[in-house]
Amino acid sequence: MSSSVTPTSKPVKTTGLHVGDAAPGVRKVDPILIADGVRRTFGGLTAVDVEHVEIPRGAITALIGPNGAGKTTFFNLLTGFDKPDTGTWSFDGRSLAHVPAYRVARMGLIRTFQLTKSLALLSVMENMKLGAKNQVGENLFRSLIPSIWRKQDGEIEAKAMELLTRFKLDAKKDDYAASMSGGQRKLLEMARALMSDPTLVMLDEPMAGVNPALKQSLLDHILDLKASGMTVLFVEHDMHMVRHIADWVIVMAEGKVVAEGDPHKVMENPAVIDAYLGAHHDTDLGADSEHVEALKELIDDEQ
Amino acid sequence: MDWGAIFGNAAVELISPTTAAYALAALGLAIHFGYTGLLNFGQAGFMLLGAYGYAIPALKLGWPFWACVLTALAASVIFALILGIPTLRLRADYLAIVTIAAAEVLRLIFTTNEFRAVTGSANGLSEFQVDLLALNPFPPGRYGFGPFVFDNRVWFFLVIAWIVVAIAAVFTWLIMRSPWGRVVKGIREDEDAVRALGKNVYSYKIQSLILGGLLGTLAGILFVLPRAVVPSYFQPTLTFVIYAVLLLGGAATILGPIVGSIVFWVLLSFFSGFVSRAVTAGWFPFMTQVQAGQLRFILVGVAIMLIVVFMPQGLLGNKKELAFVK
C-alpha cells in the first residue's frame, strides 16, 4: 500500500523553520498561529493542555498523536468550534480568543472536518459557491434583487468551475453532493475550503477512508496548496504520508505537545515512541526470570 | 345522492380564503422547515398573533386596517425573537419544544377571562373587518359562476387572500434562488459546515424564523377575515394540519404548500359531503350523523398517509432527493 501512495514527483521540503533546538514549543522564524496555555477539560478529563505552540507560515505542518491525544479538540479550539477553559491564541497577529467560528473563517483560517460535511442535498456547484466570501447576495434585502448579485455570482461560479476542474469534479457539478463517494466528498470539502482564498487551511484527517488512488491525488492537492502560498496544518494517522509531505511535525499525547521536529527526526524521538507504543514497550513482560529462579529454589527446598 | 352538491362544495374549497390562509401558513413553514431545517411547531402561535394583532387594535383602538396589519407583523417579529434568541444556538429539537409550548401559552393567555375586556376570552372578537370592508370594490349582492357563487364580502377577502399568497410565493421564490437561500439550505444540511465557511449561522436562522413567522402571521389575518377571532382555532392541531399540508405538497418547494392546501381542503370537503349524505341515504346504517362528521378527518388522514407513504417527497417535491434520504 505504501508504494501506491508515493507521488510521482518528490516534494520540496521547506527547512529552517525553527529557532534553536527542536523541542516542544520551539519558536518559529515566522509563525502564523501562536497558541499559549490553551487548556480544555471535559469534567475531570483534560483533553487539551498546550503550553506553547507555534505553526510555521508557508509550510505543511502535521499534527500527529495516538487516538485520544486531543488533536481534534485542539483543532476545534483553534477554529472557534469549542471554547477553552483558559488560554490565548492568535492568528496572523490577531487574537482569536472568544472569536466565533464564522469570524475565524472570515479571517482566512478555514478548516475541514474529520467526518466530511458535504451539504448532501445541495448540488456540488452550490456547495462550492457557498464557500466564497463577501457575497452581496447573502444579505436578505439585497438577495431580492438579482441584478445586484448576479454579476458576482457569475464570477464565483467561474472560480468554482476552475477549482472543480482542478479537483476533477467538474463532471459532477450538477449532481447532489450526496451522490458522491466518500473520497470525492473529501475532495469537494477541500475544494470548497479553497473558494475563500484562505491563508491557513486546517485539514482534519484528510486521508481517512480514502482509497490509495485518491490518496495520491489528495497528496498532490495538499502540496499544491503550499506551492500557491498557503499554510497547511493537518491531523493524520498515516505516517507514510506525514513523512512524505510534512515540513514540520508536532506530536501530541494526552493533550500535551510532547515533541516537535522535522518528520524524519521526530519519529526517532523517544517521547514519540512512548506516546504511540507506551513507555514500557521494550520491557519483556513474558518471563520474569528473577521470580522464576526464586520459585525454583523454594520448590527445591520443599523436596 | 346529490353528487353535484358534493363536488360543487369541494370545488369551492379550491379558491376559498381559508385555503389561501393555510397555503400561506404552510409557505411560512416551508421557509422554516423545508429550507432552513428549523422545527417550528408553533405556527399556530404566529397565526394567533396575526388574528389578534389585527382584531384588537381595530376594535379597541379604532385603528385603520394597515396599522392593524403592521401591529400584527410587529408582534410576530417580537415573538420570533423571543423564541429564537435563546434556542437557536442549541440543537434543533429545543426550538420545537419551545415553540409548541409558547404557542399554547399564547392561546391560553387569549382564552383566559382575566383579559376578557381586550381579548373577548373564549368568545373571541368579531366585526373587526369594518374598516377594511369600507374599501370593498365589489358591489353588494351574490354572484359568480358554476359552484363559485359568493357574496361581495367573501369575494373581497378571497381576492385579497390570493393576492397576498401570490406575493408571498414570489418573494419566497426570489430569496430561495439567491445566495441567501443557498446559505439557508446549507444550514439545513449541516450548520457546522456552513459556519466553517464563514457564515453567521445564528443570524440566518433568526432571519428565517422571523420571515416564516411573518408569513404565518399574515396567514392568521387572512384566516380570520371571513370569520370571528376565537382562540380555539389556534390549537396545536392547527400547526399539525399545516405540517400535513406542507408535506403533502412538498417541503422544500414554493408551490407545494399552495397545492397541498388546495388538495387538503378539497379532499376534506369532498369526504365531509360524501359521508354526511351517505349516512342520510342509509349507506352506513351503523353510523350517526355526528360520527360521520368525524369520519371525514379519518379519511383525510388515510389519504395523507397514502400520499406520504407512496410519494414521500410530496406532490411537487423532487423525487431525486429521496435516493439519498435514509
Side-chain angles (χ1 to χ4, degrees):
Chain A
M1 190 193 104
S2 327
S3 59
S4 60
V5 290
T6 311
T8 36
S9 59
K10 200 163 162 50
V12 184
K13 294 286 181 121
T14 313
T15 50
L17 295 166
H18 61 293
V19 183
D21 286 337
V26 64
R27 276 185 50 225
K28 303 296 180 321
V29 177
D30 183 12
I32 189 168
L33 191 82
I34 306 172
D36 265 304
V38 176
R39 191 180 154 87
R40 174 74 168 107
T41 54
F42 297 104
L45 176 82
T46 306
V48 168
D49 184 8
V50 170
E51 253 172 55
H52 182 85
V53 73
E54 298 181 3
I55 311 294
R57 187 190 306 272
I60 299 177
T61 304
L63 184 60
I64 65 169
N67 288 324
K71 305 180 297 288
T72 297
T73 309
F74 189 53
F75 250 52
N76 287 344
L77 293 173
L78 292 182
T79 48
F81 278 83
D82 194 0
K83 291 187 177 64
D85 306 341
T86 55
T88 54
W89 62 111
S90 65
F91 169 66
D92 243 352
R94 285 180 292 178
S95 172
L96 283 187
H98 310 294
V99 177
Y102 74 94
R103 277 189 204 276
V104 174
R106 285 183 193 172
M107 284 181 190
L109 195 169
I110 297 277
R111 71 168 298 181
T112 65
F113 294 86
Q114 185 171 358
L115 301 167
T116 36
K117 291 188 183 293
S118 57
L119 306 165
L121 292 185
L122 257 56
S123 74
V124 170
M125 184 47 102
E126 282 178 310
N127 262 277
M128 291 295 287
K129 283 162 123 183
L130 205 52
K133 278 201 286 200
N134 303 324
Q135 298 191 41
V136 282
E138 285 182 356
N139 175 294
L140 177 59
F141 299 104
R142 291 193 204 123
S143 76
L144 284 170
I145 306 158
S147 55
I148 295 180
W149 49 262
R150 188 150 284 154
K151 184 166 169 282
Q152 191 194 26
D153 208 52
E155 290 162 7
I156 290 170
E157 184 156 342
K159 182 176 174 186
M161 205 53 226
E162 201 182 304
L163 274 169
L164 283 176
T165 318
R166 205 168 103 197
F167 282 79
K168 297 200 175 61
L169 292 171
D170 45 331
K172 306 268 300 172
K173 76 180 170 75
D174 297 319
D175 295 356
Y176 283 128
S179 71
M180 301 203 300
S181 72
Q184 283 174 321
R185 285 182 213 185
K186 289 262 179 203
L187 284 173
L188 172 63
E189 206 182 11
M190 198 188 283
R192 193 175 64 192
L194 298 185
M195 282 297 290
S196 64
D197 301 315
T199 38
L200 172 57
V201 185
M202 295 177 52
L203 308 168
D204 198 348
E205 298 204 18
M207 298 294 163
V210 175
N211 75 50
L214 214 58
K215 265 186 190 174
Q216 166 73 65
S217 79
L218 263 170
L219 279 178
D220 289 338
H221 287 307
I222 295 175
L223 289 168
D224 273 353
L225 299 186
K226 183 173 111 175
S228 50
M230 288 172 225
T231 306
V232 180
L233 174 65
F234 71 98
V235 169
E236 191 49 65
H237 282 295
D238 182 341
M239 287 308 147
H240 184 79
M241 167 193 168
V242 170
R243 239 191 308 259
H244 193 80
I245 67 166
D247 302 312
W248 191 256
V249 176
I250 297 172
V251 188
M252 280 184 79
E254 291 168 4
K256 294 188 172 60
V257 173
V258 294
E260 276 192 61
D262 83 71
H264 291 281
K265 291 208 185 98
V266 85
M267 304 284 183
E268 291 153 18
N269 187 324
V272 178
I273 297 166
D274 287 357
Y276 274 93
L277 301 173
H280 303 286
H281 67 93
D282 49 2
T283 325
D284 189 357
L285 302 174
D288 189 336
S289 49
E290 272 179 45
H291 282 102
V292 174
E293 287 303 316
L295 212 66
K296 270 185 184 162
E297 279 170 27
L298 261 172
I299 294 167
D300 286 342
D301 284 351
E302 276 177 22
Q303 282 170 349
Chain B
M1 204 135 105
D2 185 0
W3 288 101
I6 294 176
F7 283 112
N9 287 340
V12 165
E13 297 298 337
L14 279 174
I15 59 166
S16 86
T18 308
T19 307
Y22 273 59
L24 191 58
L27 192 60
L29 272 191
I31 296 181
H32 288 157
F33 175 72
Y35 288 105
T36 321
L38 300 176
L39 273 174
N40 168 21
F41 274 110
Q43 194 69 337
F46 283 102
M47 292 177 76
L48 179 144
L49 284 176
Y52 281 97
Y54 184 93
I56 291 174
L59 274 181
K60 309 293 167 183
L61 303 169
W63 286 7
F65 77 91
W66 53 267
C68 301
V69 173
L70 289 182
T71 314
L73 294 180
S76 165
V77 171
I78 294 168
F79 186 56
L81 288 175
I82 292 173
L83 293 181
I85 288 174
T87 54
L88 287 180
R89 283 189 201 278
L90 306 172
R91 234 175 39 215
D93 356 12
Y94 291 94
L95 182 72
I97 298 166
V98 168
T99 46
I100 195 168
E104 272 296 86
V105 167
L106 272 185
R107 183 177 69 82
L108 293 172
I109 287 175
F110 281 88
T111 313
T112 172
N113 280 325
E114 206 65 32
F115 309 115
R116 168 172 283 248
V118 182
T119 64
S121 97
N123 294 328
L125 302 166
S126 56
E127 300 306 323
F128 52 86
Q129 305 95 330
V130 181
D131 181 57
L132 188 62
L133 279 170
L135 300 172
N136 192 349
F138 294 93
R142 282 179 70 84
Y143 33 83
F145 54 93
F148 309 108
V149 178
F150 311 113
D151 66 15
N152 60 327
R153 201 179 126 108
V154 173
W155 274 117
F156 183 43
F157 292 143
L158 192 151
V159 169
I160 294 177
W162 286 104
I163 289 176
V164 173
V165 170
I167 294 172
V170 170
F171 171 82
T172 313
W173 176 71
L174 278 174
I175 56 170
M176 287 311 166
R177 71 202 267 268
S178 75
W180 188 89
R182 195 157 60 213
V183 176
V184 152
K185 284 181 246 175
I187 291 171
R188 173 190 69 196
E189 298 301 323
D190 193 321
E191 59 175 84
D192 272 345
V194 177
R195 201 170 277 136
L197 294 173
K199 319 289 178 200
N200 187 349
V201 168
Y202 183 57
S203 156
Y204 280 98
K205 279 160 86 174
I206 296 235
Q207 290 173 34
S208 164
L209 188 66
I210 291 176
L211 272 186
L214 285 175
L215 296 193
T217 301
L218 286 173
I221 300 177
L222 297 181
F223 179 66
V224 295
L225 275 182
R227 43 176 77 82
V229 182
V230 182
S232 60
Y233 286 147
F234 305 100
Q235 310 249 6
T237 14
L238 177 62
T239 305
F240 300 142
V241 168
I242 291 169
Y243 260 103
V245 164
L246 175 68
L247 297 178
L248 189 61
T253 57
I254 305 290
L255 292 177
I258 298 169
V259 172
S261 175
I262 291 174
V263 170
F264 174 83
W265 279 104
V266 168
L267 280 182
L268 192 66
S269 167
F270 174 79
F271 285 128
S272 155
F274 170 73
V275 174
S276 119
R277 280 180 176 75
V279 169
T280 316
W283 288 13
F284 304 132
F286 51 88
M287 200 177 260
T288 67
Q289 206 48 264
V290 177
Q291 288 168 327
Q294 297 305 313
L295 184 66
R296 64 181 180 147
F297 286 107
I298 298 175
L299 289 176
V300 170
V302 170
I304 291 174
M305 278 166 65
L306 289 177
I307 293 177
V308 171
V309 168
F310 292 105
M311 288 182 87
Q313 78 277 24
L315 295 169
L316 297 184
N318 183 352
K319 185 130 207 197
K320 250 168 61 187
E321 287 182 8
L322 285 182
F324 310 110
V325 178
K326 275 142 235 151

